[in-house]
Amino acid sequence: MRTTIVWFKTDLRLNDNETIIKAIAQSDQIIPVYCFDEAQFITTEFGFKKTGSFRAQFLLESLIDLDKNLRELGSGLLILKGKPEIEIPNIVQLYKATKVFSKKEVSYEEIFTETKLREVLFKLKCELKTYSTSTLYHAQDLPFSIKDIPDVFSNFRKKTEKDALIRPAFDIPNQIKSPEIPVIKLPTLEELDLEYKPIDSRTALLFKGGETHAIKRLNYYFFEFKCISNFKETRNGLVGADYSSKFSTWLALGCISPRFIYDELKKYELQFGANKSTYWLIFELLWRDYFRFMMKKHNIKFFQQAGIQDKEIPINKLNNQELQKWINGETGVNFVDANMVELKLTGFMSNRGRQNVASYLCNDLRLDWRFGAAYFEQQLIDYDVSSNWGNWAYLAGVGNDPRGNRYFNIDKQAADYDKDKKYRNLWLKS
């Protein structure tokens, strides 16, 4: 009997998941697993947790939902904890598996883990097969090789939109044949060395992890309230659930795929019409693709202070007191402070807010931008390695911004986007 392992990572869904489709096609039975990689729960060199409480809670909810959806198809999710390059080979030996299927990685640490696992599996005569499951456009369909992708987004976008096609999403499997999978047993936050933090009731949206909730949000935003038709006009909002799609949270853990969103958007456009707003969501998904392809192209450079431009920018010596004031929303600049309080208490912040607080850290405090990126890594529910580090490098002037240092006049931004102080009053009240 051909037994294979499906190693879920940041692709916690059954719709449009090529990994599980290919595993089913090449197996008699599959064992779906998720490994709590201890490397994802360490404290980084910048002094922050790699995974904070908000994101960990969202991950636990997503795994419960994935297990439920797998069991409805005759399977279930086996939970491992430790180093994937140790724990997955143990399962391979236990079930005498001949292949492991997983999502293809693009960033340095994840590739390092994948390489170590591949080496161990090779000794066990077990093959590791990986598939690209995270982007709207498949890397193989781009009109240039990864190494030749332009370092300016608009050049990438124009040629990609003109010359590349988006593949259709994969259907959900009808059935998954597995041996009996034990009842799911997840680690507690305490076992992950984290404390439970309730999300502040002022949050823009009470995020709930899992594919079920991702699709529910999509149906709400598209078909129930047609918010997508006004997305371009409202996307710079700051207060409430519907000024933006909020899909980034589920995209980050792969509870929903960009191609699934795209297919549903096309159905929406057929029914209710296309406009600049419906296109703008595709535009945003393309930015997300771009940062992932850039991570594949430049890799470790995105984690270095000089970035992909090898550009030395003068910075001040780290002032922990200034950094803490920025984190706690105590800088005295009320627009920055409101956004940082929201992030601290909810694990979320608007795109407009992210740009302003990043500009403040880089240009006003002149601190090493990587401390900001590392704090976001800990704090954001929708943390995505490529988008987070790519955006921070961009704002710091060492990434993909052709204009160089992008300074935000924060008083003007506050006047433009929070004219009535509704947002600041919401988050700065005691």
Side-chain angles (χ1 to χ4, degrees):
M1 182 174 278
R2 297 173 303 164
T3 301
T4 62
I5 310 294
V6 174
W7 175 24
F8 283 94
K9 291 185 278 184
T10 48
D11 56 344
L12 305 181
R13 64 179 185 275
L14 296 181
N15 277 288
D16 190 36
N17 194 331
E18 185 175 5
T19 305
I20 200 158
I21 296 296
K22 290 292 165 63
I24 290 168
Q26 297 177 44
S27 319
D28 296 311
Q29 61 173 13
I30 69 168
I31 322 292
V33 305
Y34 181 87
C35 183
F36 280 85
D37 184 350
E38 59 188 38
Q40 293 298 318
F41 294 89
I42 60 165
T43 298
T44 69
E45 62 186 288
F46 300 100
F48 302 111
K49 284 281 190 184
K50 209 162 174 53
T51 304
S53 174
F54 293 130
R55 182 150 56 94
Q57 184 58 45
F58 190 84
L59 169 61
L60 294 170
E61 292 165 358
S62 299
L63 293 171
I64 290 168
D65 188 64
L66 178 60
D67 177 68
K68 173 183 73 69
N69 293 340
L70 282 165
R71 288 185 189 276
E72 286 173 3
L73 299 181
S75 186
L77 189 62
L78 191 63
I79 299 296
L80 314 173
K81 189 168 181 281
K83 290 185 167 87
E85 65 269 26
I86 293 172
E87 300 305 324
I88 289 171
N90 287 344
I91 294 298
V92 164
Q93 289 175 292
L94 180 66
Y95 287 99
K96 296 181 174 58
T98 54
K99 289 176 186 172
V100 173
F101 291 80
S102 77
K103 171 192 167 181
K104 188 174 284 186
E105 299 293 356
V106 296
S107 57
Y108 176 75
E109 289 174 1
E110 287 79 0
I111 289 172
F112 186 65
T113 301
E114 195 177 273
T115 303
K116 284 195 287 187
L117 175 61
R118 195 182 295 276
E119 288 167 358
V120 179
L121 293 178
F122 179 77
K123 291 172 186 170
L124 298 174
K125 295 185 171 57
C126 181
E127 185 183 3
L128 176 61
K129 304 194 75 164
T130 60
Y131 299 89
S132 295
T133 65
S134 295
T135 51
L136 183 61
Y137 287 91
H138 199 290
Q140 291 174 356
D141 301 334
L142 295 176
F144 14 58
S145 66
I146 294 291
K147 69 179 176 60
D148 294 322
I149 291 180
D151 283 337
V152 175
F153 172 72
S154 58
N155 298 341
F156 163 80
R157 176 184 64 80
K158 287 170 189 169
K159 190 151 178 59
T160 299
E161 286 179 337
K162 180 173 170 284
D163 295 336
L165 292 172
I166 296 167
R167 298 182 183 187
F170 287 91
D171 290 333
I172 194 166
N174 295 319
Q175 182 188 17
I176 301 172
K177 290 179 181 170
S178 298
E180 191 172 341
I181 307 283
V183 173
I184 190 169
K185 188 176 186 309
L186 293 168
T188 62
L189 287 177
E190 289 74 24
E191 286 168 339
L192 298 171
D193 198 25
L194 294 166
E195 289 177 27
Y196 172 72
K197 290 178 183 171
I199 293 177
D200 191 286
S201 61
R202 290 168 286 181
T203 187
L205 183 67
L206 198 57
F207 295 105
K208 195 88 174 148
E211 182 175 19
T212 304
H213 293 282
I215 293 172
K216 189 176 174 184
R217 173 64 184 174
L218 182 145
N219 285 329
Y220 169 94
Y221 196 77
F222 284 7
F223 300 104
E224 290 174 40
F225 289 89
K226 304 180 184 61
C227 305
I228 186 59
S229 287
N230 301 306
F231 172 60
K232 193 168 189 292
E233 290 74 37
T234 64
R235 68 195 167 88
N236 282 309
L238 299 163
V239 179
D242 298 339
Y243 63 80
S244 67
S245 72
K246 308 292 190 295
F247 295 160
S248 62
T249 316
W250 291 281
L251 281 164
L253 275 182
C255 298
I256 198 167
S257 81
R259 288 189 312 197
F260 182 86
I261 293 171
Y262 179 82
D263 283 0
E264 293 299 304
L265 184 64
K266 290 295 146 188
K267 290 176 193 170
Y268 178 90
E269 287 178 336
L270 277 174
Q271 198 173 344
F272 302 108
N275 64 11
K276 286 180 182 175
S277 286
T278 57
Y279 165 72
W280 207 259
L281 186 68
I282 301 167
F283 178 86
E284 298 286 5
L285 290 173
L286 197 50
W287 257 115
R288 187 176 170 277
D289 273 16
Y290 185 62
F291 279 131
R292 188 168 173 85
F293 296 138
M294 282 291 107
M295 184 65 75
K296 191 172 173 65
K297 178 180 177 180
H298 294 289
N299 215 284
I300 195 78
K301 283 190 168 187
F302 269 115
F303 304 98
Q304 295 170 346
Q305 191 188 324
I308 68 171
Q309 297 187 22
D310 292 320
K311 184 172 160 188
E312 292 297 337
I313 290 180
I315 59 168
N316 295 331
K317 187 181 173 189
L318 179 65
N319 181 324
N320 271 314
Q321 197 176 3
E322 278 192 331
L323 183 63
Q324 280 306 314
K325 282 183 176 178
W326 178 78
I327 286 168
N328 293 327
E330 297 168 350
T331 67
V333 180
N334 60 14
F335 193 57
V336 170
D337 291 345
N339 278 287
M340 293 306 293
V341 170
E342 181 184 16
L343 177 62
K344 185 179 181 180
L345 299 182
T346 70
F348 186 78
M349 189 197 295
S350 69
N351 182 54
R352 180 58 45 186
R354 293 179 202 204
Q355 293 180 71
N356 276 274
V357 302
S359 174
Y360 184 80
L361 183 99
C362 297
N363 298 308
D364 294 270
L365 299 180
R366 299 199 73 79
L367 296 180
D368 184 340
W369 64 272
R370 295 175 301 166
F371 282 89
Y375 178 63
F376 272 30
E377 178 173 15
Q378 170 188 283
Q379 208 65 14
L380 283 172
I381 298 176
D382 69 356
Y383 170 76
D384 169 275
V385 59
S386 303
S387 294
N388 183 66
W389 289 85
N391 270 308
W392 268 95
Y394 187 99
L395 262 298
V398 297
N400 293 99
D401 186 359
R403 276 174 35 184
N405 237 32
R406 193 163 288 247
Y407 177 76
F408 281 69
N409 180 330
I410 291 167
D411 288 340
K412 184 179 186 307
Q413 290 275 308
D416 287 348
Y417 297 105
D418 190 32
K419 198 165 23 185
D420 56 4
K421 296 193 176 178
K422 186 178 177 185
Y423 177 75
R424 282 168 284 176
N425 289 338
L426 177 68
W427 288 104
L428 296 178
K429 67 183 182 187
S430 54

